[in-house]
Amino acid sequence: MHQVWPLPAAEVGQDDLERLYRYPDRGRGWVAVNFVSSLDGGIEIDGTSAGLSTPPDRRVFQLGHDLADVVLLASGTAVAEEYPGLRPEGESAARRRREGLSEAPPLAVVTSGSLPADATSIVDVLVPTIVITCASAPTDKQQAWKDAGADVLIAGEDDVDLADAVAQLADRGLRRIDCEGGPGLVGKLLEADLVDEMRVSIVPLAVAGRAGRLARSADPLDDPRGFEVDSLLVDDGTLLIRYLRSR
């Protein structure tokens, strides 16, 4: 793996890679979005991202988990990917111990009420999942999530207030936030100007078709969010780019 930005170009070892992908510990939280994309902008094959991922992408994707306090994702992504809770082992577990992190980062799943109580992301976990929802979510669904072992976090009245959700996570000490989509959630985070970092792996594949894009919202942003390249790595044809929010 080689770093081509910032200059000078250099080979990157594991310690260097961890340094680049470590989250700042800020009081209000740090939201990093992780995505893999084809050359032509597709983020899925047959409805999931697994077919696009390469070994370099999986390496930094793993670091996103290992160095995070919490993994944030939308209910649609959690269900489509059959997303289980994280169980760090081996080097991942050792890395978390070195960083002074908890045994495993909880999942934080955003839903307005559609998340099934028996979803893998709730029942197949090492630590309780945090279900982020709004006050108007059906009370029977809220109770079902709790009965299944989830911790229900209310943010907003009729819709999930992501700024409030991020603030509440930070109040719990969950400040390093690894967001893994999907596109609708990323679009809402961008609308709320909550994305601090975009971590994008561009793989040497073109998929065409109707694959989704990294972020989606009903309308384009009136004020497009600016980002600057903080690091660019290359490994076996995969580009690993970290963008930081311009302030």
Side-chain angles (χ1 to χ4, degrees):
M1 186 174 289
H2 288 82
Q3 175 178 299
V4 296
W5 183 263
L7 295 172
E11 188 169 349
V12 174
Q14 186 61 35
D15 290 345
D16 300 316
L17 194 62
E18 289 185 20
R19 174 181 53 80
L20 287 172
Y21 281 82
R22 188 173 286 121
Y23 300 77
D25 187 10
R26 294 200 321 190
R28 76 159 183 83
W30 182 272
V31 178
V33 170
N34 280 276
F35 261 102
V36 60
S37 169
S38 68
L39 284 175
D40 52 342
I43 62 164
E44 62 189 19
I45 295 178
D46 294 330
T48 71
S49 61
L52 286 174
S53 188
T54 61
D57 169 63
R58 288 192 287 274
R59 190 175 172 188
V60 298
F61 190 73
Q62 186 66 50
L63 282 178
H65 290 162
D66 291 352
L67 299 173
D69 292 318
V70 62
V71 175
L72 179 70
L73 64 162
S75 59
T77 296
V79 172
E81 304 272 357
E82 296 184 348
Y83 209 113
L86 302 172
R87 292 175 170 82
E89 299 177 345
E91 180 55 34
S92 291
R95 184 176 292 122
R96 291 188 66 81
R97 288 194 295 269
R98 287 199 306 271
E99 297 291 326
L101 298 170
S102 63
E103 179 183 10
L107 302 180
V109 183
V110 179
T111 180
S112 59
S114 61
L115 180 67
D118 62 353
T120 306
S121 55
I122 292 180
V123 299
D124 186 10
V125 296
L126 180 63
V127 294
T129 292
I130 302 168
V131 175
I132 299 175
T133 192
C134 51
S136 62
T139 55
D140 60 332
K141 293 300 291 282
Q142 294 187 40
Q143 188 59 52
W145 296 325
K146 292 176 182 177
D147 291 343
D151 178 4
V152 177
L153 184 157
I154 303 297
E157 293 298 322
D158 296 321
D159 296 296
V160 175
D161 183 333
L162 289 172
D164 183 33
V166 168
Q168 288 194 57
L169 291 174
D171 288 342
R172 298 179 178 205
L174 305 176
R175 298 183 178 90
R176 304 170 185 89
I177 302 172
D178 174 28
C179 177
E180 297 183 0
L185 176 58
V186 176
K188 291 177 180 177
L189 288 167
L190 287 169
E191 286 178 335
D193 203 11
L194 293 171
V195 178
D196 299 290
E197 182 177 354
M198 300 276 278
R199 301 173 174 181
V200 184
S201 299
I202 301 178
V203 300
L205 296 171
V207 300
R210 299 184 179 182
R213 55 185 291 174
L214 192 152
R216 182 182 66 245
S217 59
D219 299 296
L221 298 176
D222 292 333
D223 179 20
R225 309 298 183 238
F227 289 81
E228 299 176 351
V229 176
D230 194 64
S231 67
L232 171 58
L233 310 179
V234 181
D235 190 6
D236 196 25
T238 297
L239 304 182
L240 306 165
I241 313 169
R242 292 176 49 255
Y243 294 93
L244 300 186
R245 178 75 168 96
S246 303
R247 301 294 180 183

